[in-house]
Amino acid sequence: MGYYVKVEPDVKIYVEDVNPGGDKTILFVHGWPLNHNQYEYQFNVLPGKGYRCIGMDLRGFGKSDKPWHGYCLDRMADDVRGVVEALQLKNFTLAGHSYGGAASIRYMARHAGYGVSRLALFGAAAPSVTQRPNFPYGQPKENVTALIENSLNDRPNMLRGLKDIFFFQNVSTALGDWFFDLGLVAAGHSTAKVAQSFRDEELFSDLGKIHVPTLILHGIHDKICYPELAVAQKEGIPDAKLVWFEFSGHALFYEERDKFNSELMKFIEH
């Protein structure tokens, strides 16, 4: 079931709601530069286990509106709040990958975890994607600046190159094309502006404001959000559990999908 939620007078967010009758709800927030379809291999399985799986496309991506404005963590968190209120979600698990993980963390801090009983982070882009004086573990800032420039000058080529560092395992040409197509659906300006957001914004002060059980899943071969980010999340979030994925890069939701689904269900059930 797909529908739109208005989060601003001129902005609608697309929501895919699978198994609305499920008794355990997960709201999935996707990573950059994809959309909710990245979770296909979760939506294939979890609804059959009794879960209501909701995927939202962040503004600028997938089927959501693509305005010129609003590509910062505060606005993304407010968009999540708009979806939560429109669907009247309560006692749900908020689950975010990469930039979607950063937006989920900002939601927890900015909106005091409204309605959320558990938080799940997958290769999350927090507390900082880029290196800082007090945090040397991120990407060199010039690497992300190059992504921004490439997004604005030859976005298809940028997406082809991104695939090579997104996955650790070899994937089929067809699956690489699928990944490419997910990224291509986004607007070019949205792709660049969100990259600016994760280059320049940080979430150090947000981590300590999370007061629900938190699951951190992270690939040890992640070349986008380095494993040190997961360690910092574990240290900064009071009630957090970290599970490493030994055969995954940034795409652990696909590369070790059976383990991913199992760990997520186990976390929600206990």
Side-chain angles (χ1 to χ4, degrees):
M1 178 186 301
Y3 42 81
Y4 285 89
V5 170
K6 183 178 287 189
V7 294
E8 287 188 296
D10 60 342
V11 180
K12 299 186 300 297
I13 296 296
Y14 180 76
V15 175
E16 188 75 26
D17 194 347
V18 181
N19 191 26
D23 58 359
K24 298 173 288 288
T25 299
I26 310 171
L27 174 59
F28 288 92
V29 188
H30 66 84
W32 177 92
L34 307 175
N35 56 60
H36 80 276
N37 287 300
Q38 77 167 73
Y39 293 114
E40 175 177 337
Y41 296 92
Q42 285 65 59
F43 282 40
N44 284 348
V45 174
L46 299 180
K49 304 290 186 180
Y51 292 88
R52 179 187 184 186
C53 292
I54 302 168
M56 61 177 285
D57 287 346
L58 295 172
R59 65 172 59 209
F61 299 85
K63 296 181 181 179
S64 287
D65 286 347
K66 300 170 176 61
W68 186 251
H69 64 278
Y71 299 99
C72 65
L73 286 172
D74 281 355
R75 183 62 252 180
M76 295 297 187
D78 293 350
D79 289 352
V80 173
R81 175 68 181 254
V83 171
V84 170
E85 289 186 341
L87 275 60
Q88 300 181 330
L89 301 181
K90 299 176 181 178
N91 193 33
F92 69 96
T93 299
L94 180 61
H97 172 253
S98 194
Y99 188 75
S104 298
I105 290 171
R106 178 57 53 87
Y107 175 86
M108 298 300 294
R110 184 172 170 86
H111 295 285
Y114 179 80
V116 177
S117 59
R118 294 177 181 269
L119 175 67
L121 303 172
F122 323 128
S128 177
V129 173
T130 55
Q131 295 174 0
R132 298 175 185 273
N134 63 333
F135 192 74
Y137 308 112
Q139 297 272 0
K141 187 165 285 189
E142 55 267 25
N143 288 10
V144 185
T145 299
L147 275 181
I148 295 166
E149 293 173 351
N150 292 337
S151 297
L152 294 171
N153 290 293
D154 189 344
R155 188 165 61 99
N157 191 56
M158 183 279 292
L159 291 170
R160 290 292 189 200
L162 183 65
K163 187 212 77 170
D164 294 335
I165 62 170
F166 205 92
F167 297 90
F168 168 67
Q169 299 182 27
N170 291 325
V171 298
S172 67
T173 299
L175 192 117
D177 290 344
W178 171 78
F179 171 86
F180 175 79
D181 289 343
L182 293 185
L184 207 57
V185 174
H189 67 270
S190 309
T191 303
K193 288 181 177 183
V194 167
Q196 290 173 358
S197 172
F198 66 70
R199 181 192 65 186
D200 298 337
E201 296 196 72
E202 49 85 11
L203 298 108
F204 292 96
S205 63
D206 298 68
L207 299 179
K209 299 176 183 178
I210 297 170
H211 301 295
V212 299
T214 300
L215 176 67
I216 301 165
L217 306 181
H218 212 101
I220 66 171
H221 305 284
D222 197 325
K223 295 181 180 179
I224 295 175
C225 294
Y226 296 145
E228 289 85 355
L229 273 65
V231 174
Q233 294 162 30
K234 173 71 167 61
E235 293 174 348
I237 299 172
D239 186 13
K241 175 186 178 183
L242 171 57
V243 179
W244 293 112
F245 280 59
E246 297 181 6
F247 306 103
S248 294
H250 201 47
L252 66 167
F253 56 89
Y254 175 77
E255 294 182 284
E256 293 182 76
R257 51 198 176 275
D258 291 341
K259 178 180 177 179
F260 183 100
N261 293 341
S262 175
E263 290 289 347
L264 183 56
M265 287 188 288
K266 185 167 60 174
F267 169 67
I268 295 172
E269 295 295 338
H270 295 91

